[in-house]
């Protein structure tokens, strides 16, 4: 396939507008997967993706399609990349776009343009991709394609006559999609006669093959057996296997200019496979490709084994999982309350949740995660600045006077039906948001832009926004600068002992309410024990909230008057099971859920 007969495109859209379903249909249409066989959302391979119905990892599939082009039947090689829609994974999207010359911008015919439609459109637009608007789900009774066309025109200046109308469910209009992609998207621009340059898009670890890299061949060609070299590290490797994702790995022995495929090259860990790196033939001199911006970690949380002895097991599980998700940062840390563990940086809360779930499901780890925090900066009178990824690491009595605190902010985009404008403005004000823009997409939908402290949206903002708008709000954000802020460290004490893993940093104005709520919440989650427990929230040495959990009188076993041994054993086992997920802090047992629930307090 000469690059003139290659097209690389991705499918981008707001969550649930039908990207993965459309990808299925295109794979079926080209005979890449058999119709009716396999599961829906074929490319969503991870268990988390199937359970949550979302795409987390971008997936590539190569398809072959014959099309009448410039008067004659021509065979085309098409690379399709299905991308995640959720804001946490926009990093995956921007990486995928680097291997594409075009994008199908899918919009739900009933819901119209939503916040991630806007974000994804601009990602594609800034990358100079040919954009093909597709209005999907036209089979729905509430579909209103004309209204959506008008929105696409007014927001993105997309011509109504260029819009495709489809239903990925019934198959209506699908036959226009691939011809439009072939006619409207330019072939990849690389030079087949230049020395090989390939962009490393993604990597993962396979039990049998070792590290597998996804690559895009920008210039030149790659053959099995070639010796290649990393522009970033200078390390060389021999390519032992090369092929395409069809969508399963199919060895081809060769990849040509403009193709997207996989390589196996004896890399020992995914740490060697740096996403965004340029690979080239050894002994050729090339100009490295621009690569990608590094992933930016928005939230940090401590991960600890639910059972102290499992540290090594957790270590192993995290190492394995980060091989498939290099966007997580991991450093070891220790906590007086929880022992040895890890401080991990994530792209957002959903990313954190998904990582957590994958640790448990794919690697059998039991973890306690501490209240997530955003990266604050504290500045002291001697000019030193401390980036705080763990509230516990913030000194309660610093040597030098604190002169300023800084917190990260985001630019948030919110799209809502006009009747909810009032309540959304109230919510954003409560979350310390500053309105930057307020306009209307059409007669029924409002568009707002806010600058907000990251901390305020990390904690349950999206759920609350959804609930006050009956589920109609859509929301997206991008990171922005730091702003000065009045922050305090809030300690939680059990029987006078501070629990380092429960410390948080909050805005001063919110400290009294948050302190009260945390203490009340903890009271409901900690079981009564043989002694009284005093739960306190404090700023420095000043206690701002307090609850008492009175002692339990009766022993569980007192009920089974010695006689019934099996019953006694059962009870003991049950108690042991319950303990598994407990963490003993000082002399108090705290269930895992308590840690989890704390993060819902804002
Ligand atoms: P994604 O998040 O953009 O990948 O969306 P999915 O492909 O996972 O689809 C979200 C939901 O919309 C699924 O329940 C699909 O079955 C449904 N869906 C997708 N396309 C259509 C369509 O054309 N018509 C209807 N009625 N439902 C669709
Ligand atoms: Mg999907």
């Amino acid at each position: 396939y000469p690059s003139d007969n290659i097209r690389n495109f991705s499918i981008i859209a707001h969550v649930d507008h039908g990207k993965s379903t459309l990808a299925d249909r295109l794979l079926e249409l080209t005979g890449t997967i058999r119709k009716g066989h396999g599961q829906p959302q074929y490319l969503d391979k991870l268990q988390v993706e199937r359970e949550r119905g979302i795409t987390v990892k971008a997936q590539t599939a190569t398809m072959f399609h014959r099309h009448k082009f410039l008067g004659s039947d021509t065979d085309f090689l098409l690379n399709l990349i299905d991308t995640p829609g959720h804001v946490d994974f926009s990093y995956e999207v921007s990486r995928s776009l680097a291997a594409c010359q075009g994008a199908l911008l899918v919009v739900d015919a009933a819901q119209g343009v939503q916040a991630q439609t806007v974000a994804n459109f601009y990602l594609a637009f800034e990358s100079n991709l040919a954009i093909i608007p597709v209005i999907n789900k036209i089979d729905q009774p509430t579909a209103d394609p004309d209204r959506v066309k008008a929105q696409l025109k007014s927001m993105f200046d997309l011509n109504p006559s260029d819009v495709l109308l489809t239903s990925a469910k019934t198959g209506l209009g699908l036959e226009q999609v691939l011809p439009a992609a072939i006619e409207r998207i330019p072939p990849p621009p690389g030079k087949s006669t230049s020395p090989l340059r390939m962009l490393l898009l993604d990597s993962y670890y396979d039990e049998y093959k070792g590290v597998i890299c996804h690559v895009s061949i920008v210039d030149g060609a790659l053959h099995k057996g070639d010796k290649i070299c990393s522009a970033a590290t200078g390390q060389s490797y021999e390519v032992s296997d090369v092929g395409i994702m069809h969508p399963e790995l199919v060895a081809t022995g060769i990849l040509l200019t403009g193709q997207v495929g996989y390589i196996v090259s004896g890399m020992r860990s995914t740490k060697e496979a740096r996403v965004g790196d340029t690979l080239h033939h050894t002994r050729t001199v090339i100009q490295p490709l621009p690569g990608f911006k590094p992933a930016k970690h928005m939230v940090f949380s401590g991960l600890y084994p639910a059972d102290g002895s499992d540290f090594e097991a957790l270590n192993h599980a995290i190492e394995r999982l980060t091989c498939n998700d290099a966007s997580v940062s991991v450093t070891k840390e220790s906590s007086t309350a929880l022992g040895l563990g890890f401080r991990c940086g994530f792209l957002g809360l959903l990313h954190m949740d998904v990582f957590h779930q994958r640790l448990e499901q794919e690697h059998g780890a039991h973890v306690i995660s501490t209240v997530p925090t955003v990266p604050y900066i504290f500045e002291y009178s001697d000019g030193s600045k401390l980036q705080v990824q763990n509230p516990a690491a913030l000194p309660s009595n610093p040597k030098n006077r604190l002169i300023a605190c800084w917190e990260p902010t985001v630019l948030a985009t919110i799209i809502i039906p006009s009747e909810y404008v009032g309540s959304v403005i109230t919510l954003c004000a409560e979350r310390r948001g500053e309105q930057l823009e307020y306009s209307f997409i059409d007669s029924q939908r409002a568009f707002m832009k806010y600058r907000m402290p990251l901390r305020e949206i990390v904690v349950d903002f999206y759920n609350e926004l959804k609930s006050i708008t009956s589920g109609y709000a859509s929301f997206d954000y991008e990171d922005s600068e730091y702003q000065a802020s009045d922050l305090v460290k809030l300690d939680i004490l059990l029987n006078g002992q501070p629990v380092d893993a429960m410390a948080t940093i909050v805005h001063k104005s919110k400290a009294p309410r948050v302190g009260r709520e945390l203490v009340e919440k903890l009271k409901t989650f900690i079981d009564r024990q043989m002694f009284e427990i005093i739960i306190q929230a404090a700023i420095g040495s000043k206690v701002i909230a307090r609850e008492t959990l009175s002692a339990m009188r009766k022993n569980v076993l007192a009920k089974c008057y010695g006689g019934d041994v099996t019953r006694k054993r059962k009870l003991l086992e049950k108690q042991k099971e319950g303990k598994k997920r407990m963490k003993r802090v000082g002399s108090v047992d705290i269930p895992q859920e308590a840690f989890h629930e704390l993060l819902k307090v804002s």
Side-chain angles (χ1 to χ4, degrees), residues 88 91 294-301 322 325-330 343-349 351 373-376 387-389 408 454 458 477 479 482:
D88 281 19
Y91 186 61
K296 192 154 185 177
H297 299 113
M298 309 284 262
V299 283
F300 291 84
S301 150
T322 48
D325 183 358
S327 53
V328 180
S329 74
V330 182
R343 175 92 351 207
C344 299
F346 301 97
L347 305 175
L349 268 202
H351 182 215
T373 186
V374 302
Y376 296 106
Q387 213 217 42
V388 185
Q389 297 174 357
L454 175 60
V458 160
Y477 62 83
D479 66 283
Y482 273 77

Side-chain angles (χ1 to χ4, degrees), residues 330-596:
V330 182
T331 47
K332 291 206 167 90
E333 75 171 12
S334 67
S335 145
T336 355
L338 301 176
L340 277 180
F342 302 89
R343 175 92 351 207
C344 299
F346 301 97
L347 305 175
L349 268 202
L350 177 65
H351 182 215
M352 179 178 109
D353 259 15
V354 164
F355 189 80
H356 198 143
Q357 190 178 344
R358 291 183 70 184
L359 270 180
E360 304 216 329
Q361 283 179 342
E362 297 170 27
H363 301 275
H366 296 300
V367 271
I368 284 181
S369 57
T370 64
V371 181
T373 186
V374 302
Y376 296 106
I377 292 173
F378 282 69
E379 193 179 341
Y380 295 95
S381 55
D382 65 342
S384 64
K385 280 185 183 170
L386 183 64
Q387 213 217 42
V388 185
Q389 297 174 357
N390 177 2
L394 188 66
S396 300
N397 298 298
K399 278 198 298 281
N400 295 294
R401 196 167 44 87
L402 181 66
I403 51 170
C405 316
W406 304 87
E407 67 179 330
T409 66
V410 295
L411 293 178
T413 301
I414 299 171
I415 294 181
I416 39 168
S418 358
E419 64 262 40
Y420 298 108
V421 163
S423 38
V424 170
I425 288 179
T426 311
L427 173 67
C428 291
E430 270 167 26
R431 300 292 185 123
R432 301 187 283 133
E434 175 200 346
Q435 196 179 73
L436 304 176
E437 195 182 328
Y438 174 24
S439 58
F440 287 87
I441 295 181
D442 59 23
S443 60
Q444 294 156 50
R445 262 170 214 272
F447 174 95
M448 296 197 266
K449 246 190 149 79
Y450 273 87
R451 179 185 306 287
M452 280 210 226
L454 175 60
R455 140 104 207 176
E456 299 290 338
I457 60 156
V458 160
V459 186
D460 230 26
F461 176 76
Y462 187 50
N463 283 338
E464 205 159 317
L465 181 67
K466 278 275 187 197
S467 89
I468 62 168
T469 58
S470 318
Y472 285 117
S474 74
F475 168 63
D476 196 89
Y477 62 83
E478 59 186 299
D479 66 283
S480 183
E481 61 230 34
Y482 273 77
Q483 71 181 16
S485 185
D486 212 354
L487 304 169
V488 291
K489 179 180 175 189
L490 191 64
D491 282 311
I492 298 290
L493 296 86
L494 294 181
N495 285 345
Q497 291 294 331
V499 184
D500 61 354
M502 289 186 175
T504 54
I505 293 170
V506 293
H507 193 254
K508 200 169 183 179
S509 67
K510 297 198 165 187
R513 185 177 54 77
V514 172
R516 171 116 303 281
E517 282 179 22
L518 285 177
V519 163
E520 280 167 8
K521 201 142 217 176
L522 270 176
K523 186 180 178 183
T524 62
F525 274 90
I526 299 179
D527 290 330
R528 293 206 294 162
Q529 298 178 22
M530 304 305 287
F531 44 84
E532 185 183 75
I533 302 170
I534 297 164
I535 310 168
Q536 293 166 313
I539 300 172
S541 53
K542 190 169 151 243
V543 173
I544 57 168
R546 175 196 162 112
E547 288 284 336
T548 308
L549 197 61
S550 56
M552 173 170 68
R553 293 240 176 72
K554 278 195 199 110
N555 187 306
V556 200
L557 295 181
K559 288 189 213 113
C560 12
Y561 9 86
D564 189 341
V565 182
T566 49
R567 172 132 192 261
K568 184 168 169 180
R569 192 172 340 107
K570 261 191 199 144
L571 273 172
L572 278 171
E573 265 165 20
K574 208 167 148 198
Q575 196 186 25
K576 212 167 124 201
E577 219 166 73
K579 275 228 176 84
K580 238 181 158 174
R581 294 283 178 117
M582 293 277 187
K583 206 71 207 187
R584 173 156 289 200
V585 174
S587 51
V588 182
D589 285 330
I590 305 175
Q592 189 186 13
E593 302 84 72
F595 287 93
H596 207 77

Side-chain angles (χ1 to χ4, degrees), residues 63 225 229 232 278 291 304 415 475 562:
M63 311 180 287
C229 179
T278 306
Y304 289 85
I415 294 181
F475 168 63

